[in-house]
Every structure is written in structure tokens, then in C-alpha cells.
Amino acid sequence: MKEHFLPQFQLEHWCRDGQLVRYEKRGVEILTEEKSPAAVGYRPNQFALHSRPDKPNVIEIDYWQKLDNDVAPIFLNLINNTPVSITTQEQLVMTLFILGLPIRTPWAQDHAVAVFKAALAGEFPEFIDAQKVASDPELQRISDPNWIRDNAILNSLEVATESKRIDRVMRMQWHVWDLRYSVRDLVLSDHALLVAGSLDHPVATTLHLPLSPRRLLVITDGYAPRLSDYEVARAVNIRSTNSAVEHIFAAHMGHRALAKKYLKPRNFRRRPEKFPNVPAKL
């Protein structure tokens, strides 16, 4: 089953005639290709649970898809209306969507599995002793790669949507930046949510989420500098491109210089802190 870590409804806002432009860097070469939203931003069965053979895609179907369906009309409201007004319930739904974006990527999930496995090894030193594992049914159970992956996935979702994180985002200032008159439009990264600061520590934090090529959602409890539309679009595009793991997406072919300068080559080995620091709860 295709599980989109970049929701199709979000990608559609970058489409012209049903197609957007995907940028990829291989070596020093920038490759561009027109793609449909259904053909990008997914990994098959990335949230599938081996512990639920009766309904392995329960997280994708009962959580992510339902959340995306609820968020899609809110996106349209934020993109199309000026001034923007949303209800507290809509803000809560958007908050859950925003907090989920960083852990939906396959790279974040791979990192979550590694963190969870390391936590198990710290809690159970015998976990890494093959002979002890072979003689202990409980160690065999928790050393099963499928058990580790399932619990890492569930753990990352639980931690990312903790009530203290939800409360903090809800209390922050929300603003939609209208860039319709800017000479520069926005790109979307495969690591879509940009975080400056930390939602888990008492420091000033700002979240940027491109909603469309001309609309940017800004959520902050810090100082908002006075910048022109051009400066905002340029700064967000640089951060989006630099944070991308494999691709950026745009409405046209005019971002080659941006990709050439800031996009990392595919398979570039990134440091772990580029991914959400989700602790493992055992």
C-alpha cells in the first residue's frame, strides 16, 4: 500500500495541469522531472504493523488518511482567504497534522527504529548477547526486528503528539504570509516542516510550513523580524532545500540555481540530528 509522507492534497497546490516539478541532485547534476502527486512522496507500507496481520495498515488508514481528509479543507481556507480565520477545532487538527509531518518520513522512521533499538540495548544489556537471546523467550520476542519496528513506530507517534507539544503549538502565534506579489515563489521539501528552535525545550521556536507556492504558515512564540516578501521566500526556500533528504518540489522549472547550490545529492549521509529527536519509551 502506498503511504504518502507528503500528503497528495498538499502536493496538489504545486501542480499545473496535474503535474509538479521534482528536483533531485545526483553528483553535481540537477535532474528535473514532472510528476503527479500520486507518484511522489511515499514509501510502500512504511507504517504497516506486523503485530496486526488482520489490519496491518491501520495507522495509515485510520489515522493518517483521516487526518489528511480533515486537514485538506483547512489548507484551502488558509490558502484562499484573506484575512484567515480558523476555529479552535481546526487549529487542533492542523496542530496534529503539523506535529506528525516530521515523523511521517521514511528516514525519520528508520531513525526511530535505530533509537528504539539502542534504548532496548541500554535497558537490557543481554539484548546484544546472542547466546542469552537464544535461551530467553522474552529476549527473543523483543529482539524480533518486526516487534522493534512496530513499537518504534507507535512510540514515535505517541511522543510526537504528546499533550504538552500540542498545547504549546496551540498557544503560539499563527500567521499566514501572503506571497502572491513576491517575485519568488516557494518550494516544498520532502522534509516539509521547518523548525527553528525546539518544541521540547523552553526556547523561542518558529515553525514554517509552505502551504502553496504563494502561502506560508508561520507559527511562532519568538521574535518575528521585519522582512520583505522576497526575503521571506528566499530564506524559507534555502532552508527547505538544505533540509531536503532527496527531493524538493516546485510549480515550475525555475529553481535549478537554488537546487544546484543547496540541495544535497541523493543518498547523502545526513547526521541523525536532521531527523526528529524522538526518545524511546519502553
Side-chain angles (χ1 to χ4, degrees):
M1 179 181 184
K2 281 186 177 181
E3 298 189 2
H4 285 264
F5 57 90
L6 286 178
Q8 293 182 71
F9 79 82
Q10 185 177 13
L11 291 165
E12 286 170 356
H13 295 297
W14 273 263
C15 286
R16 294 180 177 178
D17 298 324
Q19 303 281 300
L20 47 72
V21 180
R22 185 182 72 181
Y23 290 76
E24 180 180 319
K25 192 172 191 178
R26 293 189 181 176
V28 296
E29 185 180 4
I30 299 298
L31 306 179
T32 57
E33 190 174 5
E34 291 188 344
K35 291 281 189 178
S36 70
V40 298
Y42 72 90
R43 177 191 276 186
N45 298 316
Q46 73 165 358
F47 280 96
L49 298 178
H50 294 83
S51 58
R52 288 290 306 273
D54 59 320
K55 198 175 181 183
N57 300 107
V58 61
I59 296 179
E60 172 66 16
I61 296 171
D62 290 353
Y63 187 76
W64 294 124
Q65 288 186 6
K66 287 184 178 179
L67 183 59
D68 290 348
N69 289 338
D70 290 341
V71 168
I74 303 174
F75 254 68
L76 285 175
N77 175 27
L78 297 177
I79 291 169
N80 294 329
N81 294 322
T82 303
V84 172
S85 176
I86 63 174
T87 67
T88 301
Q89 180 60 30
E90 289 173 333
Q91 188 183 22
L92 174 60
V93 171
M94 276 295 296
T95 297
L96 292 172
F97 175 81
I98 288 164
L99 292 176
L101 277 174
I103 65 166
R104 289 178 78 165
T105 70
W107 313 286
Q109 284 302 312
D110 292 344
H111 180 61
V113 170
V115 170
F116 193 84
K117 191 172 183 178
L120 281 174
E123 184 75 13
F124 305 100
E126 60 271 34
F127 178 74
I128 58 177
D129 187 322
Q131 289 185 340
K132 289 185 177 180
V133 170
S135 61
D136 188 326
E138 177 61 14
L139 287 177
Q140 289 177 23
R141 184 179 71 86
I142 68 173
S143 63
D144 178 10
N146 289 334
W147 185 91
I148 292 172
R149 184 179 177 280
D150 285 2
N151 281 274
I153 289 172
L154 294 169
N155 175 77
S156 65
L157 182 58
E158 178 186 353
V159 173
T161 56
E162 283 182 331
S163 59
K164 64 179 181 180
R165 295 175 119 241
I166 294 172
D167 291 344
R168 180 168 182 189
V169 174
M170 293 281 287
R171 290 197 307 268
M172 295 165 77
Q173 300 176 48
W174 291 46
H175 171 68
V176 176
W177 204 301
D178 185 352
L179 297 167
R180 79 181 86 177
Y181 301 116
S182 172
V183 297
R184 188 183 295 264
D185 62 344
L186 297 173
V187 301
L188 182 68
S189 164
D190 57 17
H191 198 69
L193 181 68
L194 305 175
V195 182
S198 172
L199 291 174
D200 300 309
H201 299 95
V203 296
T205 299
T206 299
L207 312 178
H208 290 105
L209 178 63
L211 301 172
S212 75
R214 296 294 179 179
R215 288 279 176 133
L216 174 70
L217 178 60
V218 183
I219 304 175
T220 184
D221 57 9
Y223 169 72
R226 291 182 176 273
L227 298 173
S228 68
D229 290 352
Y230 175 87
E231 290 171 323
V232 169
R234 181 176 185 276
V236 170
N237 279 350
I238 289 173
R239 288 193 60 211
S240 289
T241 307
N242 192 51
S243 69
V245 179
E246 292 182 349
H247 304 114
I248 60 170
F249 305 93
H252 53 78
M253 299 279 189
H255 292 284
R256 292 183 65 88
L258 174 76
K260 186 173 182 63
K261 186 171 184 179
Y262 296 104
L263 186 60
K264 302 295 189 296
R266 188 168 183 173
N267 299 324
F268 178 78
R269 192 174 184 84
R270 289 184 173 272
R271 296 178 299 171
E273 56 264 31
K274 284 291 183 181
F275 302 110
N277 183 21
V278 177
K281 287 186 175 182
L282 302 179

